[in-house]
Amino acid sequence: MGGNKAISYAGTGKVEVIDTDYPTFELKDGPGVNPANIGRKVDHGVILKTVATNICGSDQHMVRGRTTAPTGLVLGHEITGEVVECGPGVEFIKEGDIVSVPFNISCGRCRNCKERKTGICLNVNPDRPGSAYGYVDMGGWVGGQAQYVLVPYADWNLLKFPDRDQAMEKILDLTMLSDIFPTGYHGAYTAGVTTGSTVYVAGAGPVGLAAATAAQLLGAAVVIVGDLNEERLAQARSFGCETVDVSKGDPKDQLEQILGVPEVDCGVDAVGFEARGHGKEAATEHPATVLNSLMGLTAAGGALGIPGLYVTGDPGGVDEAAKVGSLSISLGTGWAKSLNFTTGQCPVMKYHRGLMMAILHDKVQIAKNVNATAIPLEEAPQGYADFDKGAAKKYVLNPNDMIKVA
C-alpha cells in the first residue's frame, strides 16, 4: 500500500500537510505516542480510508499553544471512513463498510466500557482513563486528519451506516456523529433538557450550535445562545434560537428581556477554559466566567451540562492557577442552589446510533445548523486560520475527494 498525507501540529499557530506512514496494525513511536503503547498489537483494528474528518475547537486549543501537545502530532479525532483493511481479530466489520468513529477510543472490555462510560475507558491510555485520536495526553493514538487512519477495537467502536448510498448522500450530517453532535447532545441531555425547557447555551461555536440543535430535538420551548461573535450568533438564529451578545453585559439581564425572568431551567457550557469575560471584560480572558455565569442564571434545582473543554495543563493560562486547570469557581453558589454538574468527555457510543437514526430519517439537519463546509486536505491550514478568527463554519476535510460538493 502507498503512503499517506496528514495534518500535523507545527508549533503555536501553525499546522501543515505532511507525508506520513500508511497505518499498520501495530502502534509505533512518534510525536505524542505514550511509550507504554509502542509496539502494541492492534489485530482487533481496521484501517479506514477517510471520507470526512473535521476541524474541532478542541484541536484549536492545541494549535494555539494552550496545551502541552508536541510538534509533529498528527491531529484529528472526528473521523468518518470506509473500511479498506481488517485486522485478523475483526469479526463483524467488513471491507467496504462506511462507518462513524467515536472520538473517544474504548476497549469494550473494561468495567467503565461495560457501564457505557466509554469516555473514560481504562485500557487504552496508560496515563489516565480516557483516550482520543490525535490529542495531547490521550495515549498517542495517531490522528485522523489524514487519508488513512487505524481504528482499534473495530467491532466495538465503529458505528456502521446501514446503506452506503444513503450515507454518502447525508455525509455532511453523519460526519458530525464522531464528536460534536453527541457532545452537544450530551451537554443538553445532562443539563436536563426536556419538553418545555428553557435553555441557555454559552458559546455559538460548532459544539454550542450542536447543543442548541440537541435541545430543540429534546423538546425545549426556548433555546438561547450566548456569544461574542455576531456571525456565529446569526448562525444560531438561522435555525430558530434566541441569542444574547455577552459583550453587551451579563447574559442574565438579556435573558430577562427574552423570558420575563432572569433565569433558565438548564445551562450548557460549550466554551471551556479559554472563556472571555462579559461586558467590559469581553476583551480579556477569564476562564471561570462561563461556569460562574451559568451557576448564577440557572434556576435552583437545575443542572449544568459542561461539554466545553477544561485542561490540567495550559501553558498560556492567565495566571499560575489557570496553568494547572485550577479556576476560581463559585462552588458555593452551585451548592446553595442544589445544581447538578456533568463534565468530561462525552461517551459518544451512548448517543450516536440514536442520532444517526434522527439524521437518516430527516428529524434533524445538523450540517445545516453548524454550517458544515467541506474543503480539501491541502486547505486545512487556511481552514484552521479562518476558524480561529471566528468563522461561523464547521470545516470538514475531504482527504480522498469522496465528498461531492454541490
Side-chain angles (χ1 to χ4, degrees):
M1 186 61 70
N4 191 11
K5 290 188 180 297
I7 304 302
S8 77
Y9 171 55
T12 301
K14 299 177 184 177
V15 299
E16 61 185 9
V17 182
I18 63 168
D19 291 309
T20 188
D21 293 336
Y22 183 85
T24 66
F25 295 106
E26 179 180 323
L27 294 189
K28 298 179 180 178
D29 197 6
V33 176
N34 191 300
N37 267 347
I38 296 170
R40 187 170 182 165
K41 303 294 184 184
V42 192
D43 291 345
H44 42 70
V46 299
I47 294 170
L48 297 185
K49 181 179 182 180
T50 305
V51 176
T53 177
N54 316 326
I55 297 174
C56 180
S58 298
D59 298 320
Q60 290 284 23
H61 293 308
M62 291 187 290
V63 174
R64 292 187 191 116
R66 297 300 297 269
T67 73
T68 55
T71 57
L73 181 73
V74 173
L75 301 168
H77 55 271
E78 301 188 11
I79 308 162
T80 306
E82 177 185 8
V83 178
V84 293
E85 192 173 350
C86 294
V90 176
E91 185 176 1
F92 303 111
I93 294 293
K94 306 298 181 186
E95 291 182 15
D97 288 345
I98 304 293
V99 296
S100 177
V101 184
F103 79 87
N104 27 37
I105 303 166
S106 56
C107 71
R109 295 151 166 80
C110 72
R111 173 181 175 176
N112 285 350
C113 284
K114 290 177 180 179
E115 294 177 356
R116 301 182 78 192
K117 301 173 185 175
T118 53
I120 43 174
C121 174
L122 301 173
N123 287 332
V124 288
N125 184 353
D127 284 343
R128 64 177 74 171
S131 189
Y133 303 88
Y135 212 85
V136 60
D137 296 330
M138 289 291 183
W141 298 85
V142 177
Q145 286 176 13
Q147 291 175 308
Y148 298 92
V149 62
L150 171 69
V151 174
Y153 303 103
D155 284 326
W156 165 255
N157 277 305
L158 295 179
L159 175 67
K160 177 184 172 181
F161 300 138
D163 181 86
R164 181 188 179 93
D165 291 340
Q166 184 187 33
M168 293 306 297
E169 180 182 341
K170 293 180 176 289
I171 196 64
L172 287 180
D173 291 285
L174 294 171
T175 189
M176 304 305 161
L177 293 173
S178 60
D179 182 356
I180 69 161
F181 198 13
T183 292
Y185 190 93
H186 182 61
Y189 181 81
T190 57
V193 178
T194 187
T195 305
S197 297
T198 57
V199 185
Y200 178 71
V201 178
V207 170
L209 296 176
T213 301
Q216 292 177 337
L217 193 61
L218 286 162
V222 183
V223 180
I224 304 166
V225 180
D227 205 287
L228 302 160
N229 181 319
E230 176 50 37
E231 184 182 356
R232 289 182 169 182
L233 290 174
Q235 185 63 31
R237 290 192 293 272
S238 75
F239 59 95
C241 298
E242 300 283 350
T243 59
V244 300
D245 182 345
V246 299
S247 70
K248 295 179 179 178
D250 192 326
K252 250 178 129 172
D253 300 330
Q254 298 176 68
L255 291 182
E256 188 165 19
Q257 295 172 24
I258 296 168
L259 298 172
V261 292
E263 65 181 19
V264 292
D265 302 320
C266 315
V268 180
D269 174 4
V271 178
F273 73 103
E274 287 192 70
R276 294 186 176 274
H278 295 156
K280 294 179 180 179
E281 296 183 329
T284 54
E285 195 170 297
H286 296 267
T289 295
V290 170
L291 290 172
N292 287 331
S293 172
L294 285 172
M295 283 189 276
L297 59 79
T298 302
L304 308 185
I306 309 174
L309 177 67
Y310 290 88
V311 295
T312 56
D314 174 12
V318 294
D319 53 37
E320 292 307 309
K323 289 179 181 179
V324 293
S326 181
L327 309 182
S328 184
I329 296 170
S330 180
L331 189 59
T333 301
W335 190 95
K337 296 176 75 173
S338 294
L339 298 176
N340 287 314
F341 300 77
T342 302
T343 66
Q345 285 190 41
C346 163
V348 170
M349 294 176 70
K350 184 174 181 179
Y351 308 109
H352 66 172
R353 185 183 182 279
L355 295 176
M356 174 189 75
M357 297 301 288
I359 290 169
L360 295 179
H361 293 278
D362 300 318
K363 298 300 182 186
V364 67
Q365 293 181 299
I366 184 64
K368 174 178 174 289
N369 291 2
V370 301
N371 196 14
T373 304
I375 60 175
L377 191 73
E378 292 72 22
E379 293 181 16
Q382 187 62 50
Y384 268 93
D386 291 345
F387 190 40
D388 192 50
K389 292 174 184 175
K393 296 180 180 180
K394 175 66 173 176
Y395 286 104
V396 177
L397 303 182
N398 186 12
N400 290 297
D401 196 29
M402 295 179 73
I403 304 171
K404 304 307 175 187
V405 181

